[in-house]
Amino acid sequence: MSTLAFLEFPQQIDPALEALEAAGAYRLVPLTPHVEIALEARGLTHLAISSRLPDKSQEHLGFENFGKVERLCAVIDDFWKERFPYFRERELRPAWFNFFALKMLYDAVTLRFSEVVSILGDVRPERVLCFETQPVPFDEKLYWGSESVYTRVIVFACESRSIPVEFVQSGELPRPPRPTVVGCGMWRQRLMQTRWGQLARALKELGAGAMLRQWLSKPVGGMTAQGRILFCGLEHNLSLIAAALLGRGDTDVWVWNDGRPSPIGKPWLGMPRPEAVSFLSGDRRRAWEALRGHPDFRSVFQFEGMDWIGLVADRLQYLCLSAFGEIEGQAVRDRALLERMKPDAIVFSSISDQRRKVLAHVARTLNIPVVFSPHGEMGTHFFPMNYYNDFVSANHCLAYGPGFAAYLDRHCPGLMTCESVGSPRLDGLAQRALPRDSLCRKYGLAQARKIVMYVPTMLDGNFHYRSFRLPEDREYFRIQRRLVEEFSKHPAVQFVVKLPPLSAHPRSPINEFIRHRDIANCLVVEDMSFGALLNLADAFVIDSASTSLLEMLTTDTPVYIFNDWFHWEPEALEALRRRVHLAEELEAFCAVLSDDIRTGRAFDRRLTDRTFLQLYGLPYPGQAAKRAADALVSFADYSETIGSKSRCMGEACS
């Protein structure tokens, strides 16, 4: 009897082999790059999986899913508004507020289902072995950590084809790593993850310690200002913009702390939360049962002639019974807080989850400007998820450069007012980077020898969705290992693989691959931010051209890019080619890179064209944080509201 054994974690290999001892012919199917590397290290053969579907790429399937999830949201929201007048009267769209989570959920099932069906069709096994994994608590992302999406999909696909499935217990699986702040000792980790820590770091970068002392010395009852800006978090550029606003002296700066706004740096002065609002959960349960049987709703869950609503019914029930109920209470509380606080604007760096979308919606119904401060490489390539996450929720945008404004005009005309201010994080980044000699001592590198730094992005795991963004994990890891294989051909050159800091996403197994292949000239680094390492490299290699690319371009160091999944904007591609070597075919890229390293050209390409950086990162030299703060004040337009609002912090907090 031929058996297919699907393996998602390396810890499943031994239990699988034990269960397969008497199975006769069998084939191992690695579902993640971590299993691929573990099998190779043990000399075990396995089935190589291509993530390209027979008739269309997963990229195209994921793109088609945008329309399907839009239709799903419209069906749910229309149904919910009909059942609950509260949602209809306040134009609340609960499913739309969860578009990102639903798209991730929809892609998680359909992409894996297509993959599994293709494997079953090619191999035609008589039996399938897979692993049970324990469910985890739901959150707004619907799938989290080590819970297996594959197990559900494999069982469903096998049942539809009458293939028997044998379950094996996984045992203890790895937990997602705790996110860290790179470059910090453990005692500083918790501080730097707080909004206070982010602000303190921003003030230090701006050389604005006196600014902070002045802010903290003001008496509570006399802290008046022309305007009041509310920040929903201080991540990415927001801490620097908030610090620059403090320097103006005419603005009260507040931060939204888990539904409780407080003056920045003074959380003890936060406004009290309004009483929670209670709604009848029984009504939502009856509504969910009726929705589940609605033909328009069920039609969205048809794939290759099969109804797969059962694979995600528990997730969708959670949304309807729990998450949608939170919207009701949150909208009431947010409105009460904003009406009392009277902010002149509210600023976000991302508006992707339900809580932020509800807050932005309530703010806009109160005519409070909603300002979006983007991050990363937005505007350089077509990325539709930005529209659903951020663009439709904001009135104004603090763009890095005119290239992003042109992108909005082309794809979303009239959606937001856009001001090009530059990226505060990129301002002076090269000057803040650590010196090469100290970095070489820290990592045991020879300062006199050439150093090439490769900067991949993180793997996705259960957070993978398709939006012209990243390949699936196995495919992306094959790019990583192919580049490292090329590095091994140049033993006289030192190669540093800079991994992203630990997060809930899976960690790349590239370090295990390097150890397994005994590649002595490759070092993996993940304990410092990339910006701090800018002075270490004589050349950069990158594939997912995101924030790290912009950081590289603040230097004159040569840059090599392989990327075959972005749909570049024409002017972005033209400008980028004037500054970097860019290739869209992996073997051709490796050949050019290897030849340039061998001849030394890789370290002599001092291309200094700054057009791309000016379009998408830093259109003006210096003071980006100040320009962003000034633009934010202009969006808020204090002059129209100063006469009608109390500006006393003590009064707002009482």
Side-chain angles (χ1 to χ4, degrees):
M1 176 179 290
S2 63
T3 303
L4 268 186
F6 289 93
L7 308 175
E8 196 168 357
F9 302 96
Q11 293 85 348
Q12 295 171 343
I13 296 175
D14 285 331
L17 293 176
E18 183 177 342
L20 292 167
E21 280 183 354
Y26 66 85
R27 303 183 77 174
L28 303 176
V29 183
L31 298 173
T32 63
H34 308 80
V35 176
E36 281 187 354
I37 294 302
L39 291 174
E40 288 180 16
R42 297 174 61 165
L44 297 172
T45 59
H46 60 271
L47 182 68
I49 303 175
S50 171
S51 66
R52 301 293 183 182
L53 302 181
D55 55 338
K56 63 182 75 173
S57 73
Q58 288 203 350
E59 199 68 83
H60 291 151
L61 178 60
F63 188 73
E64 290 174 359
N65 284 348
F66 277 108
K68 295 177 181 178
V69 176
E70 269 200 63
R71 185 154 60 93
L72 173 63
C73 289
V75 169
I76 296 175
D77 288 342
D78 289 346
F79 184 89
W80 221 251
K81 288 178 181 179
E82 182 181 342
R83 285 293 184 114
F84 298 96
Y86 178 88
F87 284 83
R88 182 176 63 253
E89 292 163 3
R90 289 159 179 79
E91 285 299 317
L92 295 171
R93 299 190 291 169
W96 180 260
F97 293 156
N98 286 278
F99 185 94
F100 185 45
L102 287 169
K103 176 64 163 69
M104 194 180 299
L105 180 70
Y106 206 92
D107 280 4
V109 173
T110 57
L111 297 177
R112 288 168 172 81
F113 185 70
S114 298
E115 183 180 76
V116 170
V117 166
S118 178
I119 295 170
L120 294 176
D122 290 343
V123 180
R124 300 185 181 277
E126 299 173 84
R127 184 180 66 141
V128 162
L129 183 146
C130 70
F131 285 79
E132 294 180 328
T133 58
Q134 294 299 315
V136 296
F138 296 169
D139 73 348
E140 66 271 12
K141 292 188 174 59
L142 303 183
Y143 284 104
W144 187 266
S146 60
E147 182 169 357
S148 176
V149 187
Y150 272 113
T151 296
R152 294 183 179 219
V153 170
I154 290 167
V155 172
F156 178 72
C158 288
E159 288 177 350
S160 68
R161 286 158 174 74
S162 301
I163 301 173
V165 178
E166 178 182 340
F167 288 100
V168 179
Q169 293 293 329
S170 286
E172 186 69 22
L173 293 175
R175 295 179 178 273
R178 187 182 184 90
T180 60
V181 178
V182 294
C184 293
M186 185 57 66
W187 69 273
R188 295 183 61 199
Q189 292 287 342
R190 292 181 181 176
L191 170 65
M192 298 312 291
Q193 288 173 358
T194 65
R195 295 185 172 98
W196 171 247
Q198 292 167 333
L199 176 67
R201 184 164 51 185
L203 288 165
K204 181 180 179 182
E205 290 182 15
L206 292 175
M211 197 187 297
L212 177 61
R213 288 192 294 273
Q214 180 184 8
W215 170 256
L216 292 176
S217 67
K218 291 182 179 180
V220 173
M223 296 181 71
T224 60
Q226 265 194 307
R228 179 171 294 148
I229 304 294
L230 176 61
F231 284 76
C232 189
L234 288 174
E235 62 272 21
H236 302 297
N237 291 287
L238 295 192
S239 58
L240 287 164
I241 298 172
L245 272 175
L246 290 181
R248 286 176 55 95
D250 62 351
T251 306
D252 282 343
V253 182
W254 286 52
V255 66
W256 191 265
N257 286 302
D258 299 322
R260 181 174 179 260
S262 61
I264 198 166
K266 298 192 174 188
W268 58 90
L269 296 178
M271 295 171 63
R273 289 187 180 91
E275 290 296 322
V277 180
S278 177
F279 294 87
L280 294 176
S281 60
D283 291 339
R284 289 198 299 275
R285 182 171 294 279
R286 286 190 290 272
W288 157 246
E289 294 297 336
L291 174 65
R292 182 172 178 174
H294 196 288
D296 291 342
F297 177 76
R298 296 191 71 92
S299 69
V300 184
F301 298 97
Q302 298 293 319
F303 191 80
E304 297 193 0
M306 288 176 280
D307 183 341
W308 55 274
I309 180 67
L311 296 180
V312 293
D314 57 341
R315 264 63 183 171
L316 297 173
Q317 177 178 304
Y318 162 77
L319 278 182
C320 292
L321 300 188
S322 181
F324 289 2
E326 292 172 5
I327 291 175
E328 303 172 58
Q330 184 192 340
V332 172
R333 292 192 298 269
D334 289 356
R335 186 178 186 91
L337 286 167
L338 293 178
E339 285 179 336
R340 183 177 180 183
M341 181 190 174
K342 301 181 177 68
D344 292 288
I346 180 168
V347 192
F348 298 84
S349 69
S350 173
I351 319 177
S352 61
D353 61 41
Q354 173 181 293
R355 294 184 184 91
R356 293 188 175 208
K357 282 189 179 292
V358 172
L359 177 59
H361 173 80
V362 172
R364 293 189 67 166
T365 62
L366 294 172
N367 295 318
I368 299 170
V370 175
V371 183
F372 170 52
S373 174
H375 55 277
E377 75 296 353
M378 286 189 186
T380 63
H381 62 284
F382 181 55
F383 188 68
M385 188 60 85
N386 288 146
Y387 170 83
Y388 297 95
N389 277 357
D390 307 304
F391 296 172
V392 296
S393 298
N395 308 96
H396 308 286
C397 177
L398 299 171
Y400 282 5
F404 180 67
Y407 177 92
L408 285 178
D409 288 341
R410 181 180 300 113
H411 297 288
C412 314
L415 201 59
M416 289 189 291
T417 302
C418 198
E419 185 74 25
S420 299
V421 298
S423 165
R425 283 284 170 209
L426 296 178
D427 238 349
L429 182 65
Q431 289 72 42
R432 296 195 300 272
L434 297 177
R436 178 182 170 107
D437 57 348
S438 66
L439 291 170
C440 285
R441 287 195 300 271
K442 175 179 174 64
Y443 295 115
L445 299 168
Q447 188 174 350
R449 290 170 57 193
K450 296 298 184 183
I451 299 173
V452 176
M453 186 182 298
Y454 170 41
V455 187
T457 191
M458 62 186 66
L459 302 181
D460 276 343
N462 285 341
F463 305 103
H464 184 67
Y465 62 93
R466 287 287 176 149
S467 182
F468 303 121
R469 174 177 159 268
L470 270 179
E472 180 272 335
D473 283 354
R474 289 187 309 273
E475 184 180 350
Y476 184 41
F477 182 73
R478 286 167 192 157
I479 296 169
Q480 295 182 15
R481 64 182 288 170
R482 178 65 187 90
L483 291 174
V484 170
E485 287 171 349
E486 202 65 34
F487 299 161
S488 68
K489 299 176 182 178
H490 304 276
V493 177
Q494 303 167 110
F495 293 89
V496 173
V497 180
K498 171 63 184 81
L499 292 182
L502 294 178
S503 69
H505 288 243
R507 180 179 180 272
S508 169
I510 195 66
N511 206 16
E512 289 79 358
F513 174 74
I514 290 171
R515 287 200 303 267
H516 170 54
R517 293 292 184 90
D518 195 22
I519 303 175
N521 65 330
C522 278
L523 170 72
V524 174
V525 170
E526 54 186 332
D527 65 339
M528 298 194 73
S529 69
F530 172 65
L533 300 172
L534 278 178
N535 293 330
L536 181 60
D538 298 291
F540 292 114
V541 177
I542 190 170
D543 42 46
S544 184
S546 58
T547 304
S548 297
L549 172 62
L550 294 174
E551 292 176 325
M552 292 172 184
L553 298 184
T554 63
T555 73
D556 64 353
T557 305
V559 178
Y560 288 77
I561 302 175
F562 166 74
N563 186 292
D564 68 349
W565 55 87
F566 278 5
H567 285 233
W568 296 98
E569 295 294 297
E571 63 272 24
L573 187 59
E574 179 185 353
L576 189 60
R577 289 192 186 279
R578 294 203 294 266
R579 171 61 179 86
V580 308
H581 174 79
L582 172 65
E584 298 177 344
E585 202 284 313
L586 183 57
E587 292 306 315
F589 175 80
C590 289
V592 170
L593 176 63
S594 196
D595 187 58
D596 284 359
I597 290 174
R598 180 179 54 79
T599 61
R601 286 195 301 269
F603 313 111
D604 297 330
R605 288 176 175 264
R606 296 295 166 182
L607 303 178
T608 57
D609 190 286
R610 295 179 62 84
T611 306
F612 185 88
L613 184 63
Q614 290 168 347
L615 283 172
Y616 302 102
L618 282 173
Y620 319 104
Q623 296 194 322
K626 182 180 183 303
R627 282 193 302 276
D630 293 343
L632 185 53
V633 169
S634 72
F635 292 150
D637 195 4
Y638 299 163
S639 60
E640 292 186 3
T641 56
I642 183 65
S644 62
K645 295 189 178 183
S646 165
R647 294 299 173 193
C648 178
M649 182 188 299
E651 182 178 333
C653 295
S654 60

